[in-house]
């Protein structure tokens, strides 16, 4: 057992817990918990292309920027990007390089090389502290548009195949997948995202698909076949289909091949415009295939544990309308709910928001805020806030400087919990002398001060005395909940130990950094 005590830090460095920011009635559209991950899918209907006029005004470019600024997704999954002809301002689909440049201009602004003028409006015009610095534009195109994924966090190879992003896959027929191929006419873009280890126990994989449009039977079959292959890839490449190894039947043409499954706390999320409303037509379409594979409610689902993934039942917050395009539900998110837990799923439509409830970022729109969604796209963005497994205990930034005590053991300092504003963490001490008196030292800065034959780092020093290790030489204290961040805190422990120099053993010093 650990000895508990009063909070480690006094009011000088103990900041208030971040308040919940989800209350649309009161014009608060942020996340309830800052550790939640907001993923938003949006078919932007040609409004995002290189030839688009990027001036501020009552236009699609500004409406896109205002909406993203208002909802501030951690991961943004886009379809119908780069279509200059569809936008009516040019011809052909953007190259990958041109679309990547355009994505950067949408978020950050800057000089528009396609028009030779500065960008007049961007996401950071309306939300200066928000950023999506990592962007992936898919190489797959149907000749008209591309998929794209933007992220708050960097892309990184998570399964050992040497790739952090993928525009599409290729596979042979197998089991209930009757056709060879990939993710459909626009591909299945995949991004493997490296979440901060100090916050989350795992990472994240996000897929993006824009399935074939059309109301004919052939169109439906094209969507279903693409969804079958997508389900196979999720279940076999990332989950291992219960085998413990990726692609156990050697069907997916992954070159070089993946060498490992995703870590147990890493969730797969699949999103996009799937072009079929399965809530009303009564058929088994792409959504059911992607979440459940062949048998709904069976053991062949695409969740990590073999069950079905969950999919959103998002509605407009104020009206309860489930439609994302006209009167239909075409835009979906699905997630592995054995790993990720849904906080909420919402369809955003500025036209239905009462006066006084609109996000402040929309209030800056040069026109009526109710126009924003209609100008941005014919589709409405759909987002989910997901609770992902949070970080356990780790060394923060271990700066060293510990000194040995009894048995040559150096007391070991750790921190447990997600280092994000609004979350309390636990400061841990282990490997110290049992039943020993302990002093905790903390500071917002550091100096190298000689002490008891070692070095004491925290400064200016806040000291908490009167602490005692338990019979295992351990101690735990609840500590800081940073609000607003970023914030650095230096922590070190002094243990009374007769075998140590000057009778005092020092733990390693930690630099604990909170993210905003």
């Amino acid at each position: 057992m650990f000895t508990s005590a009063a909070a480690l830090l006094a009011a000088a460095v103990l900041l208030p817990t971040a308040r919940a920011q989800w209350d649309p009635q009161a014009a608060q559209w942020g996340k309830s918990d800052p550790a939640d991950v907001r993923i938003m899918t949006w078919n932007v209907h040609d409004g995002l292309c290189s030839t688009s006029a990027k001036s501020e005004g009552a236009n699609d470019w500004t409406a896109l920027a205002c909406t993203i600024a208002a909802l501030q997704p951690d991961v943004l999954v886009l379809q119908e990007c780069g279509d200059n002809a569809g936008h009516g301002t040019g011809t052909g689909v953007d190259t990958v390089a041109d679309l990547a440049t355009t994505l950067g201009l949408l978020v950050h602004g800057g000089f528009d090389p396609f028009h030779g003028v500065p960008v007049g409006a961007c996401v950071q015009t309306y939300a200066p502290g928000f950023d999506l610095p990592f962007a992936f534009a898919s190489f797959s195109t149907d000749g008209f548009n591309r998929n794209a994924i933007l992220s708050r966090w960097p892309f990184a190879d998570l399964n050992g195949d040497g790739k952090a992003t993928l525009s599409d896959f290729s596979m042979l027929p197998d089991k209930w997948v009757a056709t060879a191929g990939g993710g459909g006419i626009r591909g299945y873009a995949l991004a493997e995202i490296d979440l901060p280890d100090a916050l989350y126990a795992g990472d994240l994989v996000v897929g993006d698909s824009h399935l074939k449009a059309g109301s004919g039977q052939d169109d439906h079959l094209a969507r279903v076949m693409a969804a079958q292959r997508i389900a196979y890839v999720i279940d076999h490449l990332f989950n291992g289909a219960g085998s413990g190894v990726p692609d156990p039947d050697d069907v997916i043409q992954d070159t070089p091949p993946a060498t490992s499954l995703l870590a147990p706390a890493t969730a797969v999320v699949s999103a996009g415009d799937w072009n079929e409303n399965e809530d009303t037509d009564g058929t088994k379409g792409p959504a059911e295939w992607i979440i459940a594979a062949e048998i709904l409610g069976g053991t062949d689902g695409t969740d990590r544990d073999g069950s079905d993934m969950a999919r959103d039942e998002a509605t407009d917050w104020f009206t309860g309308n489930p439609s994302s395009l006209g009167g239909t539900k075409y835009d979906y998110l699905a997630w592995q709910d054995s790993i990720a837990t849904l906080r909420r799923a919402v369809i955003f439509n500025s036209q239905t928001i009462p006066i006084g409830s609109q996000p402040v970022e929309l209030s800056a729109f040069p026109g009526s805020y109710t126009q924003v969604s209609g100008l941005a796209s014919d589709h409405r963005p759909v987002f989910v806030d997901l609770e992902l497994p949070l970080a356990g205990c780790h060394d923060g930034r271990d700066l060293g400087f510990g000194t040995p005590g009894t048995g040559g053991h150096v007391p070991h300092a750790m921190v447990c919990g997600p280092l994000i504003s609004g979350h309390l963490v636990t400061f841990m001490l282990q490997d110290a002398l049992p039943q020993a008196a302990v002093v905790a030292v903390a500071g917002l800065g550091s100096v190298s001060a000689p002490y008891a034959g070692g070095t004491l780092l925290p400064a200016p020093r806040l000291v908490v005395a009167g602490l005692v290790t338990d019979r295992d030489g351990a101690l735990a204290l609840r500590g800081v909940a940073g609000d607003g961040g970023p914030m650095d805190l230096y922590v070190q422990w002094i243990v009374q130990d007769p075998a140590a120099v000057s009778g005092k053993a020092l733990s390693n010093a930690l630099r604990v950094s909170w993210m905003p």
Side-chain angles (χ1 to χ4, degrees):
M1 295 178 60
F2 295 119
T3 302
S4 61
L8 175 63
L9 302 175
V13 293
L14 180 60
L15 301 177
T17 301
R19 290 164 45 189
Q21 295 185 357
W22 177 259
D23 186 0
Q25 197 69 42
Q28 295 185 64
W29 291 79
K31 297 181 292 189
S32 295
D33 188 317
D36 289 351
V37 174
R38 178 169 290 182
I39 304 174
M40 186 165 90
T41 186
W42 198 5
N43 181 325
V44 293
H45 189 55
D46 311 326
L48 181 54
C49 58
S50 62
T51 58
S52 176
K54 304 170 186 68
S55 57
E56 186 174 47
N59 54 47
D60 52 4
W61 178 269
T62 305
L64 289 167
C66 280
T67 302
I68 297 167
L71 298 178
Q72 299 189 17
D74 297 304
V75 182
L76 179 59
V77 184
L78 299 174
Q79 304 86 42
E80 290 200 24
C81 303
D83 186 355
N84 296 287
H87 192 263
T89 53
T91 59
V93 62
D94 278 333
T95 65
V96 169
D98 285 351
L99 179 55
T101 298
T102 303
L103 294 171
L105 295 175
L106 177 68
V107 176
H108 306 115
F111 184 79
D112 178 4
F114 308 107
H115 291 283
V117 296
V119 171
C122 66
V123 173
Q124 292 186 338
T125 302
Y126 309 102
F130 172 70
D131 198 5
L132 291 169
F134 305 99
F136 167 54
S138 172
F139 282 86
S140 292
T141 176
D142 59 352
F144 298 96
N145 52 61
R146 300 182 188 275
N147 298 328
I149 301 173
L150 290 82
S151 173
R152 175 183 174 187
W153 301 291
F155 305 128
D157 176 21
L158 300 180
N159 64 353
D161 65 359
K163 300 181 286 292
T165 58
L166 187 68
S167 295
D168 198 8
F169 62 88
S170 179
M171 61 171 287
L172 304 172
D174 188 74
K175 297 181 179 178
W176 31 260
V177 182
T179 55
I185 61 172
R186 301 172 183 94
Y188 185 54
L190 281 162
E192 299 171 21
I193 299 173
D194 183 14
L195 301 184
D197 294 343
L199 276 65
Y200 302 100
D203 296 302
L204 182 65
V205 174
V206 176
D208 181 4
S209 51
H210 185 191
L211 302 183
K212 193 176 187 305
S215 57
Q217 184 63 18
D218 289 346
D219 303 316
H220 167 76
L221 289 175
R223 292 190 289 269
V224 165
M225 288 188 291
Q228 289 174 341
R229 296 190 289 265
I230 290 170
Y232 190 95
V233 165
I234 295 172
D235 188 31
H236 290 71
L237 182 62
F238 295 120
N239 298 346
S243 70
V245 296
D247 192 20
D249 299 322
D250 195 26
V251 167
I252 302 163
Q253 309 301 293
D254 189 25
T255 306
T259 58
S260 64
L261 300 181
L262 298 177
T266 295
V268 176
V269 176
S270 195
D273 176 1
W274 297 347
N275 264 312
E276 192 158 333
N277 190 343
E278 295 172 52
D279 293 333
T280 60
D281 61 17
T283 62
K284 180 175 180 177
E288 186 173 318
W289 272 105
I290 288 172
I291 67 170
E294 187 174 24
I295 303 171
L296 185 65
T299 59
D300 68 332
T302 51
D303 205 331
R304 185 61 177 266
D305 62 2
S307 66
D308 298 344
M309 290 173 66
R311 75 164 175 87
D312 77 273
E313 296 182 0
T315 61
D316 183 295
W317 188 258
F318 290 102
T319 68
N321 189 334
S323 302
S324 61
L325 172 65
T328 61
K329 165 71 169 173
Y330 276 1
D331 304 276
Y332 295 83
L333 292 115
W335 60 93
Q336 294 179 323
D337 57 327
S338 69
I339 301 172
T341 301
L342 178 68
R343 174 89 63 180
R344 65 179 55 86
V346 179
I347 294 173
F348 182 81
N349 186 353
S350 68
Q351 190 171 6
T352 66
I353 301 174
I355 295 175
S357 296
Q358 72 271 20
V360 64
E361 295 83 2
L362 261 61
S363 300
F365 183 74
S368 170
Y369 75 87
T370 59
Q371 297 176 286
V372 170
S373 291
L375 286 171
S377 174
D378 57 348
H379 289 250
R380 304 294 166 254
V382 183
F383 69 86
V384 294
D385 290 347
L386 297 177
E387 299 176 68
L388 296 182
L390 297 180
C393 297
H394 48 90
D395 291 333
R397 297 182 187 178
D398 188 341
L399 303 176
F401 297 104
T403 60
T406 297
H409 296 296
V410 176
H412 185 62
M414 300 176 67
V415 62
C416 300
L419 300 177
I420 189 169
S421 298
H423 277 269
L424 289 170
V425 297
T426 299
F427 295 96
M428 303 279 295
L429 176 66
Q430 295 179 325
D431 299 328
L433 181 68
Q435 307 294 328
V438 175
V439 173
V441 184
L444 295 176
S446 67
V447 294
S448 296
Y451 182 81
T455 302
L456 197 63
L457 253 65
R461 298 185 188 98
L462 176 68
V463 175
V464 179
L467 309 175
V468 180
T469 58
D470 65 15
R471 63 186 181 184
D472 296 318
L475 176 66
L477 293 177
R478 291 291 276 173
V480 172
D483 185 16
M487 183 184 79
D488 283 347
L489 184 70
Y490 294 82
V491 179
Q492 202 166 4
W493 305 80
I494 304 171
V495 182
Q496 295 285 350
D497 188 332
V501 175
S502 301
K504 297 179 179 66
L506 300 182
S507 78
N508 56 304
L510 291 184
R511 178 183 175 186
V512 184
S513 300
W514 274 263
M515 296 181 66

